[in-house]
């Protein structure tokens, strides 16, 4: 069951995902989500990925996810350092080999490793 209010809030798996419709780079997104009392959207299963994808499709833009490259190039992990137990990489991704530390979601719901300085839709989870 997914709850949608004015295309700004969605729920999945006990988490609430929300956007203010604004764009920012990765570090600003982290800050904005923290200020709002949440954290950057981090999909841990297909349902949560779809909840975030709802905003990406609705605003027709990419978003950053709460996943970063580890100290080993092309190995990614959650921001708390735990291993990814779910991924949805686009074909032939991740490809940055240490050059692209952040992860963005495409408008088809797949992921791509990307530099952290792009302006993407701010999506937080609570």
């Amino acid at each position: 069951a997914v709850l949608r209010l004015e295309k700004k809030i969605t729920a999945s798996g006990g988490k609430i995902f929300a956007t203010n419709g604004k764009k920012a780079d990765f570090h600003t997104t982290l800050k904005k989500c923290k200020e709002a009392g949440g954290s950057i959207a981090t999909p841990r299963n297909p349902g949560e990925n779809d909840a975030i994808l709802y905003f990406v499709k609705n605003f027709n833009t990419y978003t950053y996810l709460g996943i970063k490259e580890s100290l080993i190039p092309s190995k990614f992990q959650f921001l708390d350092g735990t291993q990814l137990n779910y991924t949805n990489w686009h074909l032939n991704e991740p490809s940055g080999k240490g050059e692209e530390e952040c992860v963005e979601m495409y408008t088809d719901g797949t992921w791509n490793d990307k530099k952290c300085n792009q302006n993407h839709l701010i999506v937080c989870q609570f």
Side-chain angles (χ1 to χ4, degrees):
V2 174
L3 171 72
R4 296 191 174 131
L5 300 172
E6 292 181 35
K7 302 183 169 119
K8 300 277 180 141
I9 189 163
T10 297
S12 176
K15 283 187 196 168
I16 293 172
F17 297 93
T19 182
N20 58 7
K22 294 190 169 77
K23 291 185 177 186
D25 65 23
F26 181 76
H27 297 289
T28 305
T29 299
L30 285 182
K31 202 174 95 189
K32 293 287 180 199
C33 289
K34 196 173 180 190
E35 284 170 4
S39 57
I40 187 169
T42 306
R44 292 183 183 261
N45 57 55
E48 292 179 2
N49 202 72
D50 287 347
I52 300 163
L53 177 60
Y54 171 71
F55 297 126
V56 169
K57 277 189 165 163
N58 200 46
F59 287 87
N60 194 28
T61 185
Y62 299 168
T63 190
Y64 280 119
L65 301 175
I67 298 167
K68 288 237 4 191
E69 195 164 33
S70 69
L71 297 173
I72 304 152
S74 298
K75 281 290 272 182
F76 286 78
Q77 61 191 19
F78 292 118
L79 298 186
D80 64 8
T82 57
Q83 292 251 307
L84 299 180
N85 52 1
Y86 163 76
T87 61
N88 195 30
W89 294 109
H90 194 75
L91 187 67
N92 300 323
E93 298 296 343
S95 62
K97 297 180 182 62
E99 296 294 308
E100 300 173 327
E101 295 175 14
C102 287
V103 178
E104 65 186 3
M105 180 186 284
Y106 285 156
T107 50
D108 66 356
T110 59
W111 308 351
N112 171 47
D113 55 335
K114 191 74 178 172
K115 291 194 183 302
C116 303
N117 61 357
Q118 310 288 307
N119 279 336
H120 286 340
L121 185 67
I122 297 171
V123 181
C124 305
Q125 67 184 32
F126 302 90

